[in-house]
Amino acid sequence: MAEDDKIIVLFDGVCPLCNGIVDWLLRRDRKDILRFASLQSPFAEKLLEQHGMSRRCRNSVFVFFRGKLYERSSAVVQICTELPWPWSWLSYFRWIPQQTRDTIYDWVARHRYAWFGQRNACRIPAPNERKKFLDDW
């Protein structure tokens, strides 16, 4: 699979919920299509700047896939599209209006630190995971 066919997931590296989801995705990425970078990394900073995203808009998950940048619930739906069955059925949430999906996403995002805490530093991938992370290690 060409690098252009990889899905780049930009996530909050200090959020335990986000890191838990990354762990979950790593176990289900049978096609080896997912790549990850924390939002706090220089890689993510540069990619988001290239797509006109200001710093204040970066409290979200982002997905970069085939030249397009997705954020919030659209990023989640895009990831689900590439997951193996039965998880791929979650991509059908795209039929829910984006405004509704984003409202739910924003509510969880606003409360995630209160519910799950916050790490002092971004995750460091295990040696067997490093090829999946685009940060400098």
Side-chain angles (χ1 to χ4, degrees):
M1 179 172 289
E3 280 303 309
D4 290 345
D5 291 331
K6 303 290 186 192
I7 294 176
I8 299 172
V9 179
L10 306 178
F11 68 99
D12 183 351
V14 297
C15 170
L17 173 63
C18 303
N19 280 278
I21 292 169
V22 167
D23 290 339
W24 187 86
L25 289 170
L26 284 166
R27 290 190 302 273
R28 284 156 184 83
D29 185 19
R30 296 183 195 143
K31 296 190 235 177
D32 190 34
I33 193 170
L34 299 174
R35 296 296 180 264
F36 302 92
S38 69
L39 284 168
Q40 293 81 5
S41 71
F43 177 88
E45 178 81 20
K46 183 177 179 182
L47 184 62
L48 291 172
E49 280 179 8
Q50 289 172 349
H51 288 85
M53 297 302 297
S54 70
R55 283 189 167 280
R56 64 178 174 74
C57 297
R58 297 185 189 179
N59 192 18
S60 176
V61 64
F62 292 90
V63 163
F64 185 73
F65 185 51
R66 295 188 176 150
K68 188 169 180 185
L69 187 68
Y70 302 86
E71 68 176 301
R72 297 164 51 201
S73 68
S74 295
V76 173
V77 167
Q78 189 62 45
I79 293 167
C80 293
T81 300
E82 299 301 325
L83 291 175
W85 189 88
W87 309 110
S88 58
W89 72 268
L90 294 168
S91 67
Y92 287 104
F93 281 114
R94 73 178 167 268
W95 298 110
I96 296 172
Q98 183 176 352
Q99 183 176 4
T100 302
R101 291 189 331 249
D102 284 344
T103 298
I104 296 165
Y105 179 93
D106 292 343
W107 181 76
V108 172
R110 259 192 325 275
H111 295 92
R112 71 185 192 271
Y113 291 145
W115 295 339
F116 300 99
Q118 186 174 5
R119 295 179 175 183
N120 293 327
C122 293
R123 79 177 278 148
I124 298 175
N128 64 326
E129 298 173 338
R130 287 192 178 152
K131 71 174 186 149
K132 308 272 283 174
F133 284 80
L134 302 171
D135 302 343
D136 295 327
W137 300 108

